[in-house]
Amino acid sequence: MYFSKDNAVTAEMIAERALFHLKYSRGKTLQVATDFDKFWSFAHVVRDLVIDGFTATQEEYLQKDVKRVYYLSMEFLIGKLLERNVLALDILKPSIEALKKLDIDLSTVIQMDIEAGLGNGGLGRLAACFLDSMASMELPAYGYGLRYEHGIFRQEFEDGWQQERPDNWLELGYPWEMVRPEYTMPVFVYGRVENISDTRRGKQPVWTDWQMFKAVPYDIPMIGFQTNTVNMLRLWSARADEGFRLDVFNQGDYVRAVEEKNWAENVTKVLYPSDNTHAGQELRLIQEYFLVSCSVRDIVRRHEKKHSDLRDFAEKNAVQMNDTHPALAVAELMRIFCDEYEMPWDNAWEITTKTCAYTNHTLLPEALETWPVELINRVLPRHLQIIYEINHRFLQRVEMAHPGNSELIQKVSLIEENGHRSVRMANLAVVGSHAVNGVAGLHSKLLRERVMPEMSELYPNKFINVTNGITHRRWLLKCNPELSALITDKIGSGWIHNLKELTKLEPLATDKAFQKEFMAIKRRNKEALGKMIENDLHIPIHPDSLFDVQVKRLHMYKRQLLSTMYLITLYQRIKANPKMDILPRTFVFAAKAAPGYHLAKRLIKLINSVAVVVNHDPDVAGRLKVVFLPDYNVSLAEKIIPAADLSEQISTAGKEASGTGNMKLSLNGALTIGTWDGANIEIAQHVGEENIFIFGHREEELHALAQNSYNPWTYYDNDQELQHVLEAIRVNSFDPSQPALFMDLFDDLTRHGDPFFYMADYRLYLDAQEKVEALFRQPEAWAEKSILNVARMGWFSSDRTINEYAEKIWGIKPISIPDTE
Ligand code: 26W
């Protein structure tokens, strides 16, 4: 329960409990306690406050036997939790007071909090926003994921190059988790299938000779915002089983046996850091199965607490697969129903498909998961049989409806055959689900029309859209406290529960006094970020310059190189004409590149090289600054986003499934310069096309260009500035001691055919930037549009998104948890 009302939590009580934890959990006196000890103790006070709600919530779900949703995801990019939890419990004031008695302030304690970076980017952060919304909307929901020992790597720059360092987030302990060894699950891999005679059922496939290991759950409470609901995120950690490789122990090879035991514990060692490329490692497949296997068992276990059989399983459980990474859930449910519960295939299939749903998050072909049949056969032999059986029955039905159409069969088959055979995980997920959704309007359309046209014709009603959203509790209330206070002051606090209420700000957009207050807050946020940059990177920043922000994973399709080309163009213009009148701009980049993504890593080096030159050139006279902030993560995003003037969302049209950073930035008053892609389109529709800078070729146009043998050189030949920029990249004019360092980038845009249409959009982008510049020179006009962006972004709350999932896909309803005494 939350404690704002009568029986309020007092500062005395918090202080007393924190001192108790300091003494009995940390073994410290106040005199010798470190900041971390104080953080730990305070975090435990907060945690203690939610235990009653946590148990009451589970109890209520059980007693009322409500339908629950299980969100299966290989990634949860949570960030820090302490401040969020304090706000959710509405104990900010007494906490500030209480911590004084521990000789520390809340902001220091919050800084000590531990960053849970268990995700790569958009997909993982979306999962975290969804947990927030599901708890805040009182939905019976669970997150299931993996407790990686090392989350996304820490990024450092050495001589401008990205270096990856391990993230040791668990090193000092993690106060938000509770280990639950009593719910440990066994997991089986490898082995073979034997057909063994069963007296009742005849010959039955039996999976034998497997290796067993264990999954230990760690639960993190997800506290609803000022409600009694406390849901949980259950993260599994791999352990060796005592019986693991008992055969080798028995052979007396003790050391090898212990080594192999180690192998089992490697399963949850590290998050795979590539985003949008499928590498196909055996260990990754085992990770995916590990998540699926123990989560599904746990779901079945919970179901059986109230039900003697599994007949109404689909009426009580919904499983949402976050991309195809957990798509083996389809085969695992079938295996459990058929092999372990002896259910007839057709019944099992009906329950499985009614239970499962699949969200697609990317159209990039290199990201679509396929696993070699040979590999699945070795790791999960029984699952491969089941996948074959699913495919066989599915293709039979396709053949009945479209006799003799072998091309169709080959396209929709779960098995791809080109030289060697692989399982197409997206096809498995589509066939095994009752709903398949894309994450923004255009994306869902392209998913239907371009990626899976045959599937969407076979299942016209399965494919739907649910546009992404973000939790405004983190991405406005928490990260931008001053703006939040101003909003509340003007329109009341209703927006915190219903973000659509922000529209009440609209009439204030032209109010000069309000504009002043609003822009003063933006200015202070910029000063704060500027100070941080000066302290950490020793680059002086002018808070009146336009803060031009591009923060997201580094990828060629996201086109950080396009804004770099613009930046180089501006620099070259200044060099040609040092006295020119140019709007002062601070380019802020932050991005991690997948460790094996060579072009992306080179681009980081390029941006850092340009930064060194531009930031020190006296001709520039401080009018351009380039900052590449290292180690982009959730907490850094929370500092950058409130300080942004301009939000760069310039992906190649048709490539960014949705984007969610675009929403966070606009909600905090940044104007967007963006392509007609992903959720940019819906943002334009909501804020009004006059309040956003849309530019560039649209997806249909690019599609047509590609079909008519697109030639990047045409653009090159017709644009002198473009030639000049490309030349600078080709020869590396930023560091003549290392010529040709960036030849690969140059080649990609020219000789290699410019797959992401940089050349086609370059001039259009520059034109749009010119409009940005002109508007920024009119502070009142800019302020008006900025306010209108904030006022009209309410629809992008993940509460709205989750509502759509709950209604259209899951069929679950909110249930309020009674107060506990
Ligand atoms: C198997 C390798 C791999 C790893 C991660 C393939 C694909 C992924 C993710 C699906 C990539 C991803 O994060 N996609 C992003 O999802 C966001 C949430 O829906 C969208 O807003 C982004 O546009 C999309 O790129």
Side-chain angles (χ1 to χ4, degrees):
M1 71 178 293
Y2 84 99
F3 298 85
S4 71
K5 294 173 274 184
D6 0 300
N7 184 20
V9 171
T10 61
E12 289 69 33
M13 174 183 154
I14 294 176
E16 192 188 314
R17 290 184 177 198
L19 288 166
F20 179 91
H21 276 292
L22 205 57
K23 186 166 171 189
Y24 294 103
S25 305
R26 305 296 292 177
K28 291 278 183 83
T29 61
L30 190 52
Q31 286 68 41
V32 297
T34 63
D35 287 354
F36 188 80
D37 291 324
K38 294 175 187 179
F39 153 71
W40 186 272
S41 306
F42 177 62
H44 272 74
V45 175
V46 175
R47 187 176 120 160
D48 291 348
L49 290 174
V50 305
I51 297 292
D52 286 338
F54 187 73
T55 51
T57 302
Q58 295 310 314
E59 188 58 26
E60 190 70 8
Y61 294 166
L62 182 68
Q63 289 318 323
K64 298 263 162 75
D65 192 26
V66 294
K67 182 171 186 181
R68 308 172 209 214
V69 60
Y70 296 100
Y71 199 82
L72 265 57
S73 178
M74 288 288 283
E75 306 189 12
F76 286 92
L77 193 44
I78 294 168
K80 294 185 174 185
L81 281 176
L82 178 58
E83 188 180 6
R84 177 211 173 271
N85 288 348
V86 165
L87 292 173
L89 293 169
D90 206 4
I91 55 167
L92 185 63
K93 276 197 187 132
S95 297
I96 294 172
E97 225 19 63
L99 287 168
K100 285 186 191 151
K101 301 192 178 154
L102 274 74
D103 300 323
I104 194 165
D105 42 61
L106 183 62
S107 62
T108 314
V109 171
I110 284 168
Q111 263 179 31
M112 294 275 107
D113 195 4
I114 289 159
E115 182 94 9
L118 307 182
N120 274 291
L123 163 124
R125 183 55 232 174
L126 184 76
C129 283
F130 281 4
L131 293 176
D132 180 303
S133 283
M134 292 187 293
S136 299
M137 299 173 70
E138 306 183 302
L139 290 170
Y142 298 75
Y144 274 113
L146 297 183
R147 183 177 176 272
Y148 302 106
E149 227 172 288
H150 306 284
I152 188 67
F153 62 85
R154 268 187 311 110
Q155 180 194 52
E156 290 177 5
F157 294 142
E158 250 167 55
D159 186 31
W161 295 97
Q162 167 174 297
Q163 297 292 335
E164 299 90 28
R165 301 274 176 252
D167 155 52
N168 286 321
W169 71 294
L170 292 171
E171 160 176 75
L172 302 174
Y174 186 59
W176 304 111
E177 67 182 11
M178 280 176 277
V179 60
R180 295 293 179 86
E182 67 277 24
Y183 297 123
T184 296
M185 290 289 170
V187 180
F188 305 89
V189 287
Y190 302 119
R192 62 202 160 77
V193 181
E194 254 177 46
N195 288 316
I196 292 179
S197 279
D198 175 308
T199 42
R200 276 180 305 117
R201 302 199 301 162
K203 277 218 183 310
Q204 291 299 318
V206 177
W207 182 12
T208 63
D209 247 2
W210 27 253
Q211 298 292 329
M212 177 168 80
F213 57 117
K214 291 190 301 191
V216 181
Y218 288 72
D219 294 344
I220 301 176
M222 301 308 312
I223 310 169
F225 193 88
Q226 298 176 13
T227 73
N228 289 336
T229 300
V230 183
N231 285 335
M232 72 179 172
L233 167 60
R234 177 158 282 184
L235 300 179
W236 301 100
S237 179
R239 292 291 134 77
D241 182 74
E242 267 172 49
F244 189 78
R245 301 287 9 218
L246 207 57
D247 49 339
V248 185
F249 272 105
N250 290 343
Q251 284 157 22
D253 195 344
Y254 170 75
V255 171
R256 206 184 103 214
V258 173
E259 267 172 22
E260 295 204 18
K261 186 168 141 79
N262 212 336
W263 175 90
E265 310 199 332
N266 278 339
V267 170
T268 49
K269 249 308 147 221
V270 62
L271 165 76
Y272 275 88
S274 59
D275 160 90
N276 269 314
T277 33
H278 166 65
Q281 307 288 337
E282 178 166 333
L283 189 64
R284 166 75 182 197
L285 176 68
I286 294 174
Q287 283 189 339
E288 295 185 354
Y289 177 63
F290 179 79
L291 167 67
V292 160
S293 171
C294 38
S295 307
V296 166
R297 257 181 220 287
D298 206 35
I299 297 167
V300 171
R301 176 191 63 77
R302 201 172 283 119
H303 182 83
E304 288 185 320
K305 283 192 185 178
K306 268 292 212 220
H307 301 265
S308 53
D309 60 55
L310 301 181
R311 260 177 301 182
D312 53 0
F313 189 82
E315 281 66 54
K316 292 295 173 186
N317 303 283
V319 169
Q320 188 67 35
M321 300 183 287
N322 201 18
D323 216 277
T324 56
H325 317 154
L328 283 169
V330 173
E332 179 71 356
L333 280 168
M334 287 303 288
R335 192 188 65 77
I336 292 191
F337 292 158
C338 296
D339 293 4
E340 295 189 6
Y341 287 79
E342 303 186 356
M343 220 184 257
W345 180 279
D346 290 332
N347 299 10
W349 185 243
E350 190 183 331
I351 298 174
T352 298
T353 53
K354 270 192 183 162
T355 303
C356 293
Y358 154 54
T359 306
N360 172 286
H361 294 267
T362 178
L363 300 176
L364 296 187
E366 62 270 32
L368 297 180
E369 286 190 299
T370 59
W371 291 104
V373 161
E374 159 277 311
L375 178 61
I376 298 194
N377 189 36
R378 198 151 45 75
V379 178
L380 301 166
R382 179 64 187 133
H383 294 79
L384 183 65
Q385 289 186 338
I386 290 170
I387 291 168
Y388 273 144
E389 183 64 23
I390 294 171
N391 197 37
H392 174 69
R393 289 169 184 249
F394 165 61
L395 294 182
Q396 251 178 354
R397 290 188 42 197
V398 176
E399 175 62 31
M400 292 228 280
H402 306 267
N405 191 342
S406 60
E407 198 184 324
L408 175 67
I409 295 277
Q410 182 220 310
K411 283 205 167 120
V412 297
S413 173
L414 307 199
I415 309 297
E416 179 180 82
E417 321 223 9
N418 48 7
H420 66 285
R421 283 186 289 183
S422 344
V423 177
R424 294 168 171 150
M425 302 307 275
N427 292 27
L428 172 63
V430 169
V431 174
S433 296
H434 67 284
V436 175
N437 75 286
V439 290
L442 174 67
H443 169 66
S444 297
K445 174 173 163 315
L446 294 174
L447 185 63
R448 264 185 266 115
E449 293 175 3
R450 296 235 204 281
V451 185
M452 309 193 126
E454 299 82 11
M455 281 288 195
S456 76
E457 242 168 70
L458 290 173
Y459 300 112
N461 302 321
K462 239 189 221 192
F463 286 76
I464 61 173
N465 172 248
V466 184
T467 300
N468 282 168
I470 55 172
T471 171
H472 57 280
R473 291 169 287 271
R474 180 176 294 263
W475 297 111
L476 181 54
L477 186 66
K478 171 177 180 310
C479 76
N480 202 340
E482 280 203 58
L483 181 56
S484 299
L486 175 67
I487 295 171
T488 298
D489 184 47
K490 299 296 173 194
I491 66 170
S493 61
W495 65 274
I496 297 171
H497 296 278
N498 175 10
L499 197 63
K500 294 243 181 80
E501 288 197 14
L502 286 181
T503 52
K504 292 184 185 162
L505 291 171
E506 277 192 35
L508 294 169
T510 49
D511 178 322
K512 299 292 172 240
F514 182 77
Q515 286 182 354
K516 242 189 165 160
E517 286 182 85
F518 179 91
M519 291 314 288
I521 291 168
K522 179 63 80 183
R523 159 92 200 199
R524 284 196 288 277
N525 292 339
K526 289 168 72 177
E527 282 168 11
L529 179 64
K531 274 214 186 89
M532 194 190 89
I533 293 171
E534 290 189 32
N535 281 336
D536 296 355
L537 303 178
H538 313 291
I539 304 171
I541 297 299
H542 205 301
D544 286 328
S545 64
L546 181 148
F547 279 26
D548 183 340
V549 168
Q550 192 168 16
V551 290
K552 50 184 79 248
R553 278 299 285 250
L554 211 110
H555 207 292
M556 290 306 281
Y557 87 79
K558 294 180 188 278
R559 299 202 294 193
Q560 281 96 346
L561 178 54
L562 186 58
S563 42
T564 307
M565 286 161 70
Y566 170 60
L567 152 65
I568 296 171
T569 307
L570 290 180
Y571 178 63
Q572 291 176 334
R573 286 181 189 165
I574 292 179
K575 290 307 279 182
N577 178 8
K579 293 213 174 73
M580 74 180 283
D581 178 26
I582 180 174
L583 180 77
R585 241 187 230 250
T586 302
F587 288 85
V588 178
F589 293 93
K592 287 177 183 172
Y597 192 168
H598 297 293
L599 271 185
K601 291 179 102 174
R602 258 187 207 248
L603 177 54
I604 292 180
K605 171 67 177 169
L606 172 65
I607 297 173
N608 280 324
S609 305
V610 176
V612 170
V613 172
V614 169
N615 294 342
H616 296 104
D617 190 326
D619 282 348
V620 173
R623 288 170 295 176
L624 297 181
K625 290 284 179 208
V626 186
V627 180
F628 200 136
L629 287 157
D631 202 31
Y632 186 52
N633 61 17
V634 173
S635 295
L636 186 55
E638 289 173 32
K639 297 198 181 92
I640 298 172
I641 288 169
D645 292 309
L646 186 64
S647 160
E648 298 273 354
Q649 307 300 335
I650 59 178
S651 52
T652 308
K655 298 294 177 194
E656 188 68 273
S658 161
T660 44
N662 48 1
M663 302 170 190
K664 294 163 196 169
L665 282 151
S666 167
L667 181 63
N668 282 276
L671 300 194
T672 302
I673 181 164
T675 46
W676 199 248
D677 196 17
N680 295 351
I681 298 171
E682 283 136 287
I683 293 175
Q685 287 159 352
H686 279 85
V687 305
E689 286 192 43
E690 65 289 4
N691 299 311
I692 185 169
F693 301 94
I694 296 288
F695 74 94
H697 289 80
R698 298 201 171 186
E699 194 277 336
E700 318 80 83
E701 295 169 330
L702 295 179
H703 191 71
L705 272 181
Q707 306 230 300
N708 295 312
S709 54
Y710 168 66
N711 180 6
W713 294 109
T714 344
Y715 299 91
Y716 184 90
D717 292 339
N718 290 311
D719 194 325
Q720 276 199 350
E721 280 193 312
L722 179 56
Q723 289 165 22
H724 202 181
V725 181
L726 283 177
E727 188 59 13
I729 295 173
R730 192 178 70 81
V731 304
N732 186 13
S733 68
F734 311 100
D735 181 1
S737 77
Q738 291 180 286
L741 200 56
F742 305 117
M743 189 69 92
D744 289 350
L745 291 170
F746 173 86
D747 282 345
D748 199 61
L749 270 49
T750 54
R751 289 174 42 221
H752 298 163
D754 187 17
F756 296 109
F757 300 96
Y758 284 76
M759 307 290 268
D761 277 348
Y762 169 79
R763 183 52 56 183
L764 299 167
Y765 178 57
L766 261 60
D767 294 345
Q769 286 286 16
E770 216 161 277
K771 292 189 187 132
V772 171
E773 188 164 330
L775 188 72
F776 199 73
R777 288 175 192 272
Q778 301 168 259
E780 289 176 358
W782 183 280
E784 180 183 339
K785 290 187 193 298
S786 174
I787 294 165
L788 286 175
N789 266 262
V790 178
R792 295 175 177 174
M793 282 300 289
W795 188 78
F796 294 90
S797 167
S798 46
D799 293 355
R800 185 269 313 153
T801 310
I802 284 298
N803 235 325
E804 286 187 32
Y805 277 97
E807 283 173 10
K808 293 194 217 165
I809 301 178
W810 303 332
I812 60 165
K813 293 193 186 62
I815 167 173
S816 42
I817 308 301
D819 288 347
T820 47
E821 281 320 314

